[in-house]
Amino acid sequence: GDNDKVVSAGGNITIKNADELTPVSRNGWVVTASSQETSGDPGQATNAIDGNNGTFWHTVYAETYPHWIEFDMTKTYNVYSFDYVSRFDNTNTNGNILNYKLYISNSAMNGNYENAELAASGTFEYGKGVNHLIQLASPVAGRYVALVAESGTRGNWAGNAAANAAN
């Protein structure tokens, strides 16, 4: 249905049957993050939804875990999956998230998940490409999606090239 979308971050999204779902349009989305590196790297949080997998969000170098990036999809969707895309530069693994939690809520979380639903948690695997699809056990309705990085593959920072949802 119109409100049954999958949130995806770059790349293709597969949920249920591929012909039943489409990526949520990221037009108008608002993205916030725990921090963003803008001096050493062009790591603005908005890079995660700019449609260019060559750009990326990167946290401030001096900060430590946990880090988060939150997406306001501007309306409520039944989220079936979330697609995290790590950096495309295979020689640089800075910011690759290892252990994560995915929260969904009807209101902005800004790092406070007391009223949010923990939709998924786990560990991303690397070496098999840059797309990391998180399929939810069952759809979760919400307007806001937050990806929380609890640890990474290198250093104290987090980041991603793209993110999106599908319904």
Side-chain angles (χ1 to χ4, degrees):
D2 186 44
N3 289 333
D4 293 334
K5 299 275 180 190
V6 174
V7 175
S8 167
N12 296 323
I13 301 178
T14 311
I15 311 173
K16 293 173 127 182
N17 295 321
D19 60 347
E20 294 178 357
L21 296 171
T22 57
V24 174
S25 170
R26 292 179 284 191
N27 290 338
W29 279 26
V30 177
V31 61
T32 55
S34 53
S35 72
Q36 53 188 3
E37 179 62 49
T38 57
S39 60
D41 271 317
Q44 296 86 349
T46 54
N47 290 346
I49 58 170
D50 67 1
N52 179 355
N53 288 336
T55 63
F56 53 89
W57 161 64
H58 196 294
T59 58
V60 171
Y61 295 136
E63 295 187 8
T64 59
Y65 287 99
H67 303 293
W68 56 266
I69 186 166
E70 181 174 314
F71 306 93
D72 175 357
M73 300 184 291
T74 71
K75 72 179 203 178
T76 299
Y77 291 100
N78 288 324
V79 178
Y80 288 82
S81 69
F82 182 86
D83 191 13
Y84 160 74
V85 180
S86 57
R87 289 173 67 166
F88 274 65
D89 178 359
N90 289 327
T91 63
N92 189 344
T93 59
N94 284 353
N96 283 352
I97 297 169
L98 188 59
N99 296 306
Y100 70 86
K101 289 185 178 176
L102 186 74
Y103 291 94
I104 300 175
S105 178
N106 289 314
S107 58
M109 295 168 272
N110 296 310
N112 180 348
Y113 309 106
E114 185 175 313
N115 296 315
E117 182 169 340
L118 177 59
S121 63
T123 302
F124 290 123
E125 293 183 29
Y126 290 90
K128 299 177 183 175
V130 295
N131 279 54
H132 307 279
L133 183 67
I134 302 169
Q135 288 205 242
L136 307 186
S138 59
V140 177
R143 173 177 167 171
Y144 298 85
V145 175
L147 178 63
V148 179
E150 298 189 309
S151 67
T153 60
R154 181 171 178 253
N156 288 321
W157 40 83
N160 71 311
N164 199 11
N167 67 356

